[in-house]
Amino acid sequence: ALRTPALTHEAQRCLVDAPGKLVALVGVQDLVVVDTPDALLIASRERAQDVGQIVKQLEKLKRSDLL
């Protein structure tokens, strides 16, 4: 699902949400790409539930500005 204009070449089953940016995907599959004003997340679709581990690291580093 492409929520953002994207150019793809041999890319499959990727989720892209990057408002205001053109995203190009080449030869990748099963990725989640989410861009916000202050952070960029790229994760394997099958491991997207592990984003919580990154949240825990940010909390440990007291980076609430990124949460």
Side-chain angles (χ1 to χ4, degrees):
L2 300 176
R3 296 180 181 170
T4 298
L7 300 176
T8 63
H9 175 71
E10 297 181 3
Q12 301 173 347
R13 299 177 304 276
C14 294
L15 171 83
V16 177
D17 188 1
K21 291 190 177 168
L22 173 65
V23 176
L25 302 170
V26 179
V28 295
Q29 60 187 10
D30 300 315
L31 289 181
V32 175
V33 179
V34 179
D35 187 34
T36 67
D38 54 5
L40 173 65
L41 169 70
I42 302 171
S44 166
R45 229 180 161 145
E46 67 185 27
R47 303 281 307 266
Q49 71 279 1
D50 292 339
V51 170
Q53 297 300 317
I54 298 300
V55 171
K56 287 178 185 177
Q57 289 181 42
L58 289 169
E59 288 170 343
K60 191 174 184 178
L61 294 170
K62 300 184 187 323
R63 292 300 309 266
S64 60
D65 59 308
L66 296 174
L67 298 175

Short mmCIF file of all heavy atoms in Angstrom, two decimals:
data_model
loop_
_atom_site.label_atom_id
_atom_site.label_comp_id
_atom_site.label_asym_id
_atom_site.label_seq_id
_atom_site.Cartn_x
_atom_site.Cartn_y
_atom_site.Cartn_z
N ALA A 1 0.86 -1.18 0.00
CA ALA A 1 0.00 0.00 0.00
C ALA A 1 0.90 1.23 0.00
O ALA A 1 1.74 1.38 0.87
CB ALA A 1 -0.89 -0.01 1.23
N LEU A 2 0.69 2.05 -0.94
CA LEU A 2 1.48 3.27 -1.04
C LEU A 2 0.58 4.44 -0.65
O LEU A 2 -0.35 4.78 -1.36
CB LEU A 2 2.02 3.45 -2.46
CG LEU A 2 2.93 2.33 -2.97
CD1 LEU A 2 3.30 2.58 -4.42
CD2 LEU A 2 4.16 2.20 -2.11
N ARG A 3 0.85 5.03 0.49
CA ARG A 3 0.10 6.19 0.94
C ARG A 3 0.77 7.47 0.46
O ARG A 3 0.30 8.56 0.71
CB ARG A 3 0.04 6.20 2.47
CG ARG A 3 -0.72 5.02 3.02
CD ARG A 3 -0.76 5.08 4.52
NE ARG A 3 -1.48 3.94 5.04
CZ ARG A 3 -1.51 3.62 6.31
NH1 ARG A 3 -0.86 4.36 7.19
NH2 ARG A 3 -2.19 2.59 6.71
N THR A 4 1.88 7.32 -0.20
CA THR A 4 2.71 8.43 -0.67
C THR A 4 3.08 8.14 -2.12
O THR A 4 3.29 6.98 -2.48
CB THR A 4 4.00 8.49 0.18
OG1 THR A 4 3.63 8.74 1.53
CG2 THR A 4 4.93 9.58 -0.29
N PRO A 5 3.17 9.15 -2.96
CA PRO A 5 3.65 8.89 -4.32
C PRO A 5 5.01 8.19 -4.26
O PRO A 5 5.91 8.62 -3.54
CB PRO A 5 3.77 10.28 -4.94
CG PRO A 5 2.86 11.14 -4.14
CD PRO A 5 2.88 10.57 -2.75
N ALA A 6 5.13 7.10 -4.98
CA ALA A 6 6.38 6.35 -4.95
C ALA A 6 6.67 5.80 -6.33
O ALA A 6 5.76 5.49 -7.10
CB ALA A 6 6.28 5.21 -3.93
N LEU A 7 7.95 5.68 -6.61
CA LEU A 7 8.41 5.00 -7.81
C LEU A 7 8.92 3.65 -7.36
O LEU A 7 9.66 3.56 -6.37
CB LEU A 7 9.54 5.80 -8.48
CG LEU A 7 9.18 7.20 -8.93
CD1 LEU A 7 10.42 7.89 -9.49
CD2 LEU A 7 8.08 7.17 -9.97
N THR A 8 8.52 2.62 -8.06
CA THR A 8 8.97 1.27 -7.66
C THR A 8 9.53 0.52 -8.86
O THR A 8 9.09 0.71 -10.00
CB THR A 8 7.81 0.46 -7.06
OG1 THR A 8 6.80 0.27 -8.06
CG2 THR A 8 7.21 1.15 -5.85
N HIS A 9 10.49 -0.31 -8.56
CA HIS A 9 11.03 -1.24 -9.55
C HIS A 9 11.31 -2.54 -8.80
O HIS A 9 12.15 -2.58 -7.90
CB HIS A 9 12.32 -0.69 -10.17
CG HIS A 9 12.97 -1.66 -11.11
ND1 HIS A 9 12.42 -1.97 -12.33
CD2 HIS A 9 14.08 -2.40 -10.98
CE1 HIS A 9 13.20 -2.86 -12.92
NE2 HIS A 9 14.21 -3.14 -12.12
N GLU A 10 10.55 -3.56 -9.15
CA GLU A 10 10.70 -4.87 -8.52
C GLU A 10 10.60 -4.78 -7.00
O GLU A 10 11.36 -5.39 -6.26
CB GLU A 10 11.99 -5.54 -8.96
CG GLU A 10 12.00 -5.83 -10.45
CD GLU A 10 13.26 -6.52 -10.93
OE1 GLU A 10 14.14 -6.85 -10.11
OE2 GLU A 10 13.35 -6.73 -12.14
N ALA A 11 9.64 -3.98 -6.54
CA ALA A 11 9.35 -3.86 -5.11
C ALA A 11 7.97 -4.47 -4.86
O ALA A 11 7.05 -4.25 -5.64
CB ALA A 11 9.36 -2.40 -4.68
N GLN A 12 7.86 -5.22 -3.77
CA GLN A 12 6.61 -5.92 -3.50
C GLN A 12 6.19 -5.76 -2.04
O GLN A 12 7.04 -5.78 -1.14
CB GLN A 12 6.76 -7.42 -3.80
CG GLN A 12 7.16 -7.71 -5.22
CD GLN A 12 7.47 -9.19 -5.41
OE1 GLN A 12 7.63 -9.94 -4.46
NE2 GLN A 12 7.57 -9.58 -6.66
N ARG A 13 4.89 -5.63 -1.85
CA ARG A 13 4.28 -5.65 -0.51
C ARG A 13 4.91 -4.66 0.46
O ARG A 13 5.18 -4.99 1.61
CB ARG A 13 4.29 -7.06 0.06
CG ARG A 13 3.52 -8.07 -0.78
CD ARG A 13 3.61 -9.48 -0.22
NE ARG A 13 4.97 -9.96 -0.05
CZ ARG A 13 5.72 -10.52 -1.00
NH1 ARG A 13 5.26 -10.64 -2.22
NH2 ARG A 13 6.94 -10.94 -0.73
N CYS A 14 5.13 -3.43 0.01
CA CYS A 14 5.72 -2.40 0.86
C CYS A 14 4.65 -1.38 1.24
O CYS A 14 3.78 -1.06 0.44
CB CYS A 14 6.86 -1.70 0.15
SG CYS A 14 8.27 -2.78 -0.18
N LEU A 15 4.74 -0.89 2.46
CA LEU A 15 3.88 0.19 2.94
C LEU A 15 4.75 1.43 3.06
O LEU A 15 5.78 1.40 3.74
CB LEU A 15 3.29 -0.15 4.31
CG LEU A 15 2.56 1.01 4.97
CD1 LEU A 15 1.14 1.08 4.43
CD2 LEU A 15 2.54 0.85 6.46
N VAL A 16 4.34 2.49 2.38
CA VAL A 16 5.12 3.73 2.40
C VAL A 16 4.20 4.87 2.82
O VAL A 16 3.16 5.10 2.21
CB VAL A 16 5.73 4.04 1.02
CG1 VAL A 16 6.47 5.35 1.04
CG2 VAL A 16 6.64 2.91 0.58
N ASP A 17 4.59 5.58 3.87
CA ASP A 17 3.87 6.76 4.33
C ASP A 17 4.91 7.85 4.60
O ASP A 17 5.55 7.87 5.65
CB ASP A 17 3.07 6.44 5.59
CG ASP A 17 2.14 7.57 6.01
OD1 ASP A 17 2.10 8.60 5.29
OD2 ASP A 17 1.47 7.43 7.03
N ALA A 18 5.11 8.71 3.62
CA ALA A 18 6.12 9.77 3.72
C ALA A 18 5.56 11.03 3.07
O ALA A 18 5.94 11.38 1.94
CB ALA A 18 7.41 9.32 3.06
N PRO A 19 4.65 11.70 3.76
CA PRO A 19 4.00 12.88 3.17
C PRO A 19 5.00 13.92 2.69
O PRO A 19 5.97 14.24 3.38
CB PRO A 19 3.17 13.44 4.33
CG PRO A 19 3.00 12.29 5.27
CD PRO A 19 4.23 11.45 5.13
N GLY A 20 4.76 14.41 1.49
CA GLY A 20 5.59 15.48 0.95
C GLY A 20 6.90 15.03 0.35
O GLY A 20 7.69 15.86 -0.08
N LYS A 21 7.15 13.72 0.33
CA LYS A 21 8.40 13.22 -0.25
C LYS A 21 8.11 12.17 -1.31
O LYS A 21 7.17 11.38 -1.18
CB LYS A 21 9.28 12.58 0.82
CG LYS A 21 9.84 13.57 1.78
CD LYS A 21 10.89 12.94 2.65
CE LYS A 21 11.46 14.01 3.56
NZ LYS A 21 12.26 13.45 4.61
N LEU A 22 8.92 12.15 -2.32
CA LEU A 22 8.87 11.07 -3.28
C LEU A 22 9.77 9.96 -2.76
O LEU A 22 10.92 10.22 -2.37
CB LEU A 22 9.39 11.55 -4.64
CG LEU A 22 9.53 10.45 -5.69
CD1 LEU A 22 8.17 9.87 -6.06
CD2 LEU A 22 10.24 10.98 -6.90
N VAL A 23 9.26 8.77 -2.73
CA VAL A 23 10.03 7.62 -2.25
C VAL A 23 10.23 6.68 -3.42
O VAL A 23 9.31 6.40 -4.17
CB VAL A 23 9.28 6.90 -1.10
CG1 VAL A 23 10.02 5.66 -0.66
CG2 VAL A 23 9.09 7.85 0.07
N ALA A 24 11.45 6.19 -3.58
CA ALA A 24 11.77 5.22 -4.62
C ALA A 24 12.17 3.90 -3.95
O ALA A 24 13.00 3.89 -3.05
CB ALA A 24 12.92 5.74 -5.49
N LEU A 25 11.56 2.83 -4.39
CA LEU A 25 11.84 1.49 -3.86
C LEU A 25 12.36 0.63 -4.99
O LEU A 25 11.73 0.52 -6.04
CB LEU A 25 10.56 0.87 -3.29
CG LEU A 25 9.86 1.65 -2.18
CD1 LEU A 25 8.50 1.04 -1.89
CD2 LEU A 25 10.71 1.68 -0.94
N VAL A 26 13.51 0.03 -4.77
CA VAL A 26 14.13 -0.80 -5.80
C VAL A 26 14.51 -2.15 -5.20
O VAL A 26 15.29 -2.22 -4.24
CB VAL A 26 15.40 -0.11 -6.37
CG1 VAL A 26 16.05 -1.00 -7.42
CG2 VAL A 26 15.06 1.25 -6.95
N GLY A 27 13.93 -3.20 -5.75
CA GLY A 27 14.34 -4.56 -5.39
C GLY A 27 14.12 -4.93 -3.94
O GLY A 27 14.88 -5.72 -3.39
N VAL A 28 13.10 -4.36 -3.30
CA VAL A 28 12.83 -4.68 -1.90
C VAL A 28 11.43 -5.27 -1.78
O VAL A 28 10.58 -5.10 -2.64
CB VAL A 28 12.97 -3.45 -0.99
CG1 VAL A 28 14.41 -2.95 -0.96
CG2 VAL A 28 12.03 -2.33 -1.41
N GLN A 29 11.21 -5.94 -0.66
CA GLN A 29 9.88 -6.48 -0.41
C GLN A 29 9.58 -6.47 1.08
O GLN A 29 10.48 -6.50 1.91
CB GLN A 29 9.76 -7.90 -0.94
CG GLN A 29 10.74 -8.89 -0.34
CD GLN A 29 10.68 -10.23 -1.05
OE1 GLN A 29 10.05 -10.37 -2.09
NE2 GLN A 29 11.32 -11.22 -0.48
N ASP A 30 8.30 -6.37 1.37
CA ASP A 30 7.81 -6.46 2.74
C ASP A 30 8.43 -5.43 3.68
O ASP A 30 8.82 -5.75 4.80
CB ASP A 30 8.01 -7.87 3.29
CG ASP A 30 7.28 -8.91 2.48
OD1 ASP A 30 6.10 -8.68 2.13
OD2 ASP A 30 7.87 -9.96 2.16
N LEU A 31 8.52 -4.17 3.23
CA LEU A 31 9.05 -3.11 4.07
C LEU A 31 7.94 -2.15 4.50
O LEU A 31 6.95 -1.96 3.80
CB LEU A 31 10.10 -2.28 3.32
CG LEU A 31 11.44 -2.93 3.04
CD1 LEU A 31 12.35 -1.94 2.32
CD2 LEU A 31 12.09 -3.41 4.31
N VAL A 32 8.15 -1.55 5.67
CA VAL A 32 7.32 -0.46 6.16
C VAL A 32 8.24 0.76 6.23
O VAL A 32 9.29 0.70 6.88
CB VAL A 32 6.74 -0.77 7.55
CG1 VAL A 32 5.98 0.43 8.10
CG2 VAL A 32 5.85 -2.00 7.51
N VAL A 33 7.86 1.82 5.55
CA VAL A 33 8.64 3.06 5.55
C VAL A 33 7.70 4.18 6.00
O VAL A 33 6.69 4.45 5.35
CB VAL A 33 9.19 3.38 4.14
CG1 VAL A 33 9.97 4.68 4.15
CG2 VAL A 33 10.04 2.23 3.61
N VAL A 34 8.02 4.78 7.14
CA VAL A 34 7.20 5.86 7.68
C VAL A 34 8.11 7.05 7.99
O VAL A 34 9.06 6.92 8.76
CB VAL A 34 6.45 5.42 8.96
CG1 VAL A 34 5.62 6.57 9.51
CG2 VAL A 34 5.58 4.20 8.69
N ASP A 35 7.80 8.18 7.38
CA ASP A 35 8.59 9.40 7.59
C ASP A 35 7.73 10.41 8.32
O ASP A 35 6.58 10.65 7.95
CB ASP A 35 9.03 9.96 6.24
CG ASP A 35 9.99 11.11 6.38
OD1 ASP A 35 10.79 11.11 7.33
OD2 ASP A 35 9.93 12.03 5.55
N THR A 36 8.27 10.98 9.37
CA THR A 36 7.62 12.07 10.11
C THR A 36 8.59 13.25 10.09
O THR A 36 9.74 13.09 9.67
CB THR A 36 7.31 11.65 11.56
OG1 THR A 36 8.53 11.47 12.28
CG2 THR A 36 6.47 10.39 11.62
N PRO A 37 8.16 14.41 10.56
CA PRO A 37 9.08 15.56 10.52
C PRO A 37 10.40 15.34 11.27
O PRO A 37 11.42 15.92 10.92
CB PRO A 37 8.26 16.67 11.16
CG PRO A 37 6.85 16.31 10.87
CD PRO A 37 6.82 14.80 10.97
N ASP A 38 10.40 14.48 12.29
CA ASP A 38 11.62 14.33 13.09
C ASP A 38 12.21 12.92 13.11
O ASP A 38 13.21 12.69 13.80
CB ASP A 38 11.37 14.81 14.52
CG ASP A 38 10.17 14.14 15.17
OD1 ASP A 38 9.58 13.24 14.55
OD2 ASP A 38 9.82 14.52 16.29
N ALA A 39 11.63 11.98 12.39
CA ALA A 39 12.17 10.62 12.41
C ALA A 39 11.76 9.86 11.15
O ALA A 39 10.75 10.16 10.52
CB ALA A 39 11.66 9.88 13.64
N LEU A 40 12.57 8.89 10.82
CA LEU A 40 12.30 8.00 9.69
C LEU A 40 12.37 6.57 10.20
O LEU A 40 13.37 6.18 10.82
CB LEU A 40 13.34 8.21 8.58
CG LEU A 40 13.29 7.24 7.41
CD1 LEU A 40 11.98 7.40 6.63
CD2 LEU A 40 14.48 7.46 6.50
N LEU A 41 11.32 5.80 9.96
CA LEU A 41 11.28 4.40 10.36
C LEU A 41 11.30 3.53 9.12
O LEU A 41 10.51 3.74 8.20
CB LEU A 41 10.00 4.10 11.16
CG LEU A 41 9.73 2.61 11.42
CD1 LEU A 41 10.73 2.05 12.41
CD2 LEU A 41 8.31 2.40 11.88
N ILE A 42 12.20 2.57 9.10
CA ILE A 42 12.23 1.55 8.06
C ILE A 42 12.30 0.22 8.77
O ILE A 42 13.21 -0.02 9.56
CB ILE A 42 13.44 1.73 7.12
CG1 ILE A 42 13.43 3.11 6.48
CG2 ILE A 42 13.44 0.62 6.06
CD1 ILE A 42 14.68 3.46 5.72
N ALA A 43 11.30 -0.63 8.51
CA ALA A 43 11.24 -1.91 9.22
C ALA A 43 10.74 -2.99 8.28
O ALA A 43 10.00 -2.72 7.33
CB ALA A 43 10.30 -1.81 10.42
N SER A 44 11.15 -4.20 8.58
CA SER A 44 10.59 -5.34 7.88
C SER A 44 9.13 -5.46 8.29
O SER A 44 8.80 -5.31 9.48
CB SER A 44 11.36 -6.60 8.29
OG SER A 44 10.65 -7.75 7.90
N ARG A 45 8.26 -5.72 7.36
CA ARG A 45 6.83 -5.82 7.67
C ARG A 45 6.57 -6.89 8.73
O ARG A 45 5.74 -6.71 9.61
CB ARG A 45 6.07 -6.16 6.40
CG ARG A 45 4.91 -5.28 6.18
CD ARG A 45 4.19 -5.64 4.91
NE ARG A 45 2.89 -5.06 5.04
CZ ARG A 45 2.20 -4.55 4.06
NH1 ARG A 45 2.68 -4.59 2.85
NH2 ARG A 45 1.03 -4.03 4.26
N GLU A 46 7.29 -7.98 8.67
CA GLU A 46 7.08 -9.06 9.62
C GLU A 46 7.58 -8.72 11.02
O GLU A 46 7.23 -9.39 11.98
CB GLU A 46 7.72 -10.35 9.13
CG GLU A 46 9.22 -10.32 9.08
CD GLU A 46 9.82 -11.57 8.49
OE1 GLU A 46 9.17 -12.24 7.68
OE2 GLU A 46 10.98 -11.88 8.84
N ARG A 47 8.37 -7.67 11.14
CA ARG A 47 8.89 -7.26 12.45
C ARG A 47 8.33 -5.92 12.91
O ARG A 47 8.81 -5.34 13.88
CB ARG A 47 10.42 -7.16 12.39
CG ARG A 47 11.17 -8.40 11.95
CD ARG A 47 11.32 -9.44 13.03
NE ARG A 47 11.88 -8.95 14.25
CZ ARG A 47 13.18 -8.99 14.57
NH1 ARG A 47 14.06 -9.48 13.74
NH2 ARG A 47 13.58 -8.54 15.74
N ALA A 48 7.31 -5.42 12.24
CA ALA A 48 6.75 -4.11 12.57
C ALA A 48 6.30 -4.04 14.02
O ALA A 48 6.37 -2.98 14.65
CB ALA A 48 5.59 -3.77 11.63
N GLN A 49 5.87 -5.14 14.59
CA GLN A 49 5.43 -5.14 15.99
C GLN A 49 6.59 -4.84 16.93
O GLN A 49 6.37 -4.45 18.08
CB GLN A 49 4.76 -6.47 16.37
CG GLN A 49 5.71 -7.65 16.47
CD GLN A 49 6.07 -8.30 15.13
OE1 GLN A 49 5.62 -7.86 14.08
NE2 GLN A 49 6.89 -9.33 15.18
N ASP A 50 7.82 -5.00 16.48
CA ASP A 50 8.99 -4.74 17.32
C ASP A 50 9.32 -3.25 17.44
O ASP A 50 10.28 -2.89 18.13
CB ASP A 50 10.22 -5.49 16.78
CG ASP A 50 10.08 -6.99 16.94
OD1 ASP A 50 9.27 -7.44 17.77
OD2 ASP A 50 10.79 -7.72 16.22
N VAL A 51 8.54 -2.40 16.81
CA VAL A 51 8.76 -0.96 16.93
C VAL A 51 8.70 -0.56 18.40
O VAL A 51 9.37 0.39 18.82
CB VAL A 51 7.74 -0.18 16.07
CG1 VAL A 51 7.78 1.30 16.38
CG2 VAL A 51 8.00 -0.43 14.61
N GLY A 52 7.95 -1.28 19.19
CA GLY A 52 7.88 -1.01 20.62
C GLY A 52 9.24 -1.06 21.29
O GLY A 52 9.48 -0.35 22.28
N GLN A 53 10.16 -1.86 20.76
CA GLN A 53 11.52 -1.92 21.32
C GLN A 53 12.25 -0.60 21.10
O GLN A 53 13.01 -0.16 21.96
CB GLN A 53 12.29 -3.09 20.69
CG GLN A 53 11.70 -4.44 20.99
CD GLN A 53 11.65 -4.73 22.47
OE1 GLN A 53 12.59 -4.46 23.21
NE2 GLN A 53 10.53 -5.27 22.92
N ILE A 54 12.00 0.02 19.96
CA ILE A 54 12.61 1.33 19.69
C ILE A 54 12.01 2.38 20.63
O ILE A 54 12.72 3.23 21.16
CB ILE A 54 12.41 1.73 18.21
CG1 ILE A 54 13.11 0.73 17.29
CG2 ILE A 54 12.91 3.16 17.96
CD1 ILE A 54 14.60 0.60 17.49
N VAL A 55 10.71 2.28 20.85
CA VAL A 55 10.05 3.21 21.78
C VAL A 55 10.68 3.08 23.16
O VAL A 55 10.98 4.08 23.82
CB VAL A 55 8.53 2.95 21.83
CG1 VAL A 55 7.88 3.75 22.96
CG2 VAL A 55 7.89 3.29 20.49
N LYS A 56 10.92 1.87 23.62
CA LYS A 56 11.55 1.65 24.93
C LYS A 56 12.95 2.27 24.98
O LYS A 56 13.33 2.86 25.98
CB LYS A 56 11.62 0.16 25.25
CG LYS A 56 10.28 -0.44 25.59
CD LYS A 56 10.41 -1.92 25.87
CE LYS A 56 9.04 -2.54 26.10
NZ LYS A 56 9.13 -3.99 26.30
N GLN A 57 13.70 2.13 23.88
CA GLN A 57 15.04 2.73 23.84
C GLN A 57 14.96 4.24 23.91
O GLN A 57 15.76 4.89 24.60
CB GLN A 57 15.78 2.30 22.57
CG GLN A 57 16.20 0.86 22.56
CD GLN A 57 16.94 0.50 21.29
OE1 GLN A 57 17.77 1.26 20.81
NE2 GLN A 57 16.65 -0.67 20.74
N LEU A 58 14.00 4.83 23.19
CA LEU A 58 13.84 6.28 23.23
C LEU A 58 13.46 6.75 24.63
O LEU A 58 13.95 7.78 25.10
CB LEU A 58 12.78 6.72 22.21
CG LEU A 58 13.19 6.61 20.75
CD1 LEU A 58 11.99 6.82 19.84
CD2 LEU A 58 14.30 7.59 20.42
N GLU A 59 12.59 5.99 25.29
CA GLU A 59 12.21 6.34 26.66
C GLU A 59 13.43 6.27 27.59
O GLU A 59 13.63 7.15 28.42
CB GLU A 59 11.11 5.39 27.16
CG GLU A 59 9.77 5.66 26.50
CD GLU A 59 8.73 4.59 26.80
OE1 GLU A 59 9.08 3.47 27.25
OE2 GLU A 59 7.53 4.88 26.57
N LYS A 60 14.24 5.24 27.41
CA LYS A 60 15.44 5.09 28.23
C LYS A 60 16.41 6.25 28.02
O LYS A 60 17.09 6.70 28.95
CB LYS A 60 16.11 3.76 27.90
CG LYS A 60 17.20 3.35 28.84
CD LYS A 60 17.70 1.96 28.50
CE LYS A 60 18.74 1.50 29.50
NZ LYS A 60 19.19 0.13 29.21
N LEU A 61 16.47 6.73 26.79
CA LEU A 61 17.36 7.85 26.45
C LEU A 61 16.71 9.22 26.75
O LEU A 61 17.31 10.25 26.46
CB LEU A 61 17.72 7.79 24.96
CG LEU A 61 18.57 6.60 24.53
CD1 LEU A 61 18.65 6.53 23.02
CD2 LEU A 61 19.95 6.70 25.15
N LYS A 62 15.50 9.15 27.31
CA LYS A 62 14.76 10.38 27.63
C LYS A 62 14.53 11.25 26.40
O LYS A 62 14.66 12.48 26.44
CB LYS A 62 15.44 11.15 28.74
CG LYS A 62 15.56 10.36 30.04
CD LYS A 62 16.15 11.18 31.15
CE LYS A 62 16.45 10.43 32.41
NZ LYS A 62 15.62 9.41 32.88
N ARG A 63 14.18 10.60 25.29
CA ARG A 63 13.91 11.30 24.04
C ARG A 63 12.40 11.37 23.77
O ARG A 63 11.91 10.97 22.73
CB ARG A 63 14.62 10.62 22.87
CG ARG A 63 16.13 10.70 22.88
CD ARG A 63 16.64 12.14 22.84
NE ARG A 63 16.07 12.96 21.80
CZ ARG A 63 16.61 13.16 20.60
NH1 ARG A 63 17.76 12.60 20.31
NH2 ARG A 63 16.02 13.94 19.73
N SER A 64 11.67 11.91 24.74
CA SER A 64 10.22 12.02 24.60
C SER A 64 9.84 12.91 23.42
O SER A 64 8.73 12.82 22.91
CB SER A 64 9.59 12.53 25.90
OG SER A 64 10.11 13.79 26.23
N ASP A 65 10.76 13.75 22.97
CA ASP A 65 10.50 14.61 21.83
C ASP A 65 10.28 13.80 20.55
O ASP A 65 9.69 14.28 19.60
CB ASP A 65 11.63 15.61 21.62
CG ASP A 65 12.99 14.93 21.41
OD1 ASP A 65 13.36 14.07 22.23
OD2 ASP A 65 13.66 15.27 20.43
N LEU A 66 10.74 12.56 20.55
CA LEU A 66 10.59 11.71 19.38
C LEU A 66 9.43 10.72 19.49
O LEU A 66 9.20 9.94 18.59
CB LEU A 66 11.89 10.95 19.10
CG LEU A 66 13.08 11.84 18.76
CD1 LEU A 66 14.35 10.99 18.66
CD2 LEU A 66 12.82 12.59 17.46
N LEU A 67 8.76 10.75 20.62
CA LEU A 67 7.66 9.81 20.83
C LEU A 67 6.32 10.42 20.47
O LEU A 67 6.10 11.56 20.51
CB LEU A 67 7.64 9.34 22.28
CG LEU A 67 8.89 8.59 22.72
CD1 LEU A 67 8.83 8.28 24.20
CD2 LEU A 67 9.04 7.31 21.92
#
